[in-house]
Short mmCIF file of all heavy atoms in Angstrom, two decimals:
data_model
loop_
_atom_site.label_atom_id
_atom_site.label_comp_id
_atom_site.label_asym_id
_atom_site.label_seq_id
_atom_site.Cartn_x
_atom_site.Cartn_y
_atom_site.Cartn_z
N ALA A 324 7.24 -8.20 0.37
CA ALA A 324 7.26 -7.07 1.36
C ALA A 324 5.97 -6.24 1.28
O ALA A 324 5.39 -5.92 2.32
CB ALA A 324 8.40 -6.10 1.00
N GLN A 328 2.98 -6.31 4.38
CA GLN A 328 2.62 -4.85 4.91
C GLN A 328 1.13 -4.74 4.78
O GLN A 328 0.47 -4.36 5.75
CB GLN A 328 3.28 -3.75 4.14
CG GLN A 328 2.76 -2.44 4.48
CD GLN A 328 3.53 -1.40 3.69
OE1 GLN A 328 4.71 -1.55 3.54
NE2 GLN A 328 2.85 -0.32 3.31
N GLY A 362 2.21 -1.51 9.71
CA GLY A 362 2.31 -2.10 8.41
C GLY A 362 3.58 -1.75 7.66
O GLY A 362 4.35 -2.54 7.23
N PRO A 363 3.91 -0.37 7.58
CA PRO A 363 5.09 -0.04 6.90
C PRO A 363 6.41 -0.53 7.49
O PRO A 363 7.38 -0.64 6.84
CB PRO A 363 5.03 1.52 6.90
CG PRO A 363 3.53 1.74 6.88
CD PRO A 363 2.93 0.64 7.86
N VAL A 364 6.38 -0.56 8.93
CA VAL A 364 7.51 -1.15 9.54
C VAL A 364 7.83 -2.61 9.11
O VAL A 364 9.06 -2.89 8.83
CB VAL A 364 7.39 -0.98 11.11
CG1 VAL A 364 8.42 -1.94 11.70
CG2 VAL A 364 7.61 0.33 11.55
N VAL A 365 6.87 -3.36 9.05
CA VAL A 365 7.03 -4.79 8.56
C VAL A 365 7.50 -4.81 7.10
O VAL A 365 8.51 -5.38 6.66
CB VAL A 365 5.75 -5.59 8.64
CG1 VAL A 365 5.97 -7.01 8.05
CG2 VAL A 365 5.41 -5.66 10.13
N GLY A 366 6.83 -4.10 6.21
CA GLY A 366 7.10 -4.10 4.81
C GLY A 366 8.62 -3.50 4.55
O GLY A 366 9.34 -4.01 3.75
N ALA A 367 8.88 -2.36 5.33
CA ALA A 367 10.15 -1.83 5.12
C ALA A 367 11.32 -2.67 5.65
O ALA A 367 12.43 -2.64 5.07
CB ALA A 367 10.28 -0.49 5.99
N THR A 368 11.08 -3.43 6.60
CA THR A 368 12.15 -4.36 7.11
C THR A 368 12.36 -5.43 6.04
O THR A 368 13.56 -5.81 5.77
CB THR A 368 11.63 -5.06 8.46
OG1 THR A 368 11.40 -4.10 9.46
CG2 THR A 368 12.66 -6.07 8.94
N ILE A 369 11.28 -6.02 5.49
CA ILE A 369 11.63 -7.06 4.48
C ILE A 369 12.20 -6.41 3.09
O ILE A 369 13.21 -6.95 2.66
CB ILE A 369 10.15 -7.69 4.05
CG1 ILE A 369 9.69 -8.37 5.26
CG2 ILE A 369 10.43 -8.75 2.87
CD1 ILE A 369 8.23 -8.96 5.04
N GLY A 370 11.61 -5.24 2.72
CA GLY A 370 12.10 -4.56 1.60
C GLY A 370 13.54 -4.02 1.71
O GLY A 370 14.34 -4.25 0.81
N ALA A 371 13.85 -3.47 2.82
CA ALA A 371 15.24 -2.91 2.99
C ALA A 371 16.21 -4.01 3.02
O ALA A 371 17.37 -3.90 2.48
CB ALA A 371 15.26 -2.15 4.27
N THR A 372 15.88 -5.12 3.67
CA THR A 372 16.77 -6.35 3.62
C THR A 372 17.07 -6.81 2.15
O THR A 372 18.09 -7.05 1.89
CB THR A 372 16.18 -7.46 4.45
OG1 THR A 372 15.87 -6.96 5.88
CG2 THR A 372 17.13 -8.71 4.60
N PHE A 382 21.12 -0.39 4.58
CA PHE A 382 19.92 -0.85 5.10
C PHE A 382 19.17 0.30 5.77
O PHE A 382 17.83 0.38 5.58
CB PHE A 382 20.11 -2.01 6.17
CG PHE A 382 18.91 -2.47 6.80
CD1 PHE A 382 18.01 -3.45 6.30
CD2 PHE A 382 18.47 -1.94 8.05
CE1 PHE A 382 16.91 -3.85 6.85
CE2 PHE A 382 17.40 -2.37 8.61
CZ PHE A 382 16.45 -3.36 8.14
N THR A 385 17.53 2.92 3.47
CA THR A 385 16.47 2.31 2.61
C THR A 385 15.22 2.08 3.51
O THR A 385 14.09 2.33 3.11
CB THR A 385 16.92 0.99 2.11
OG1 THR A 385 18.06 1.24 1.18
CG2 THR A 385 15.86 0.40 1.29
N TRP A 386 15.47 1.63 4.74
CA TRP A 386 14.36 1.37 5.73
C TRP A 386 13.70 2.64 5.96
O TRP A 386 12.40 2.67 6.07
CB TRP A 386 14.92 0.74 6.93
CG TRP A 386 13.87 0.17 7.86
CD1 TRP A 386 13.45 -1.06 7.92
CD2 TRP A 386 13.10 0.91 8.89
NE1 TRP A 386 12.49 -1.27 8.92
CE2 TRP A 386 12.22 0.07 9.48
CE3 TRP A 386 13.09 2.34 9.24
CZ2 TRP A 386 11.35 0.32 10.49
CZ3 TRP A 386 12.21 2.64 10.20
CH2 TRP A 386 11.36 1.73 10.81
N ILE A 387 14.35 3.75 6.29
CA ILE A 387 13.60 5.04 6.65
C ILE A 387 12.82 5.43 5.42
O ILE A 387 11.66 5.86 5.61
CB ILE A 387 14.76 6.10 6.91
CG1 ILE A 387 15.40 5.66 8.22
CG2 ILE A 387 14.06 7.38 7.03
CD1 ILE A 387 16.61 6.50 8.58
N TRP A 389 11.53 3.64 2.87
CA TRP A 389 10.40 2.78 2.60
C TRP A 389 9.32 2.96 3.57
O TRP A 389 8.13 3.09 3.24
CB TRP A 389 10.99 1.37 2.68
CG TRP A 389 9.99 0.30 2.17
CD1 TRP A 389 8.84 0.01 2.69
CD2 TRP A 389 10.27 -0.59 1.17
NE1 TRP A 389 8.22 -1.10 1.98
CE2 TRP A 389 9.10 -1.48 1.05
CE3 TRP A 389 11.25 -0.91 0.26
CZ2 TRP A 389 8.91 -2.48 0.14
CZ3 TRP A 389 11.08 -1.86 -0.69
CH2 TRP A 389 9.89 -2.70 -0.73
N ALA A 390 9.69 3.04 4.91
CA ALA A 390 8.67 3.09 5.93
C ALA A 390 7.86 4.39 5.92
O ALA A 390 6.66 4.32 6.01
CB ALA A 390 9.35 2.95 7.34
N ASN A 393 5.69 4.65 2.37
CA ASN A 393 4.54 3.85 2.35
C ASN A 393 3.56 4.10 3.34
O ASN A 393 2.36 4.06 3.15
CB ASN A 393 5.03 2.38 2.42
CG ASN A 393 5.55 1.68 1.29
OD1 ASN A 393 5.56 2.37 0.25
ND2 ASN A 393 5.88 0.49 1.28
#
Side-chain angles (χ1 to χ4, degrees):
Q328 171 180 322
V364 162
V365 173
T368 301
I369 299 173
T372 301
F382 176 88
T385 300
W386 190 95
I387 291 169
W389 189 302
N393 279 4

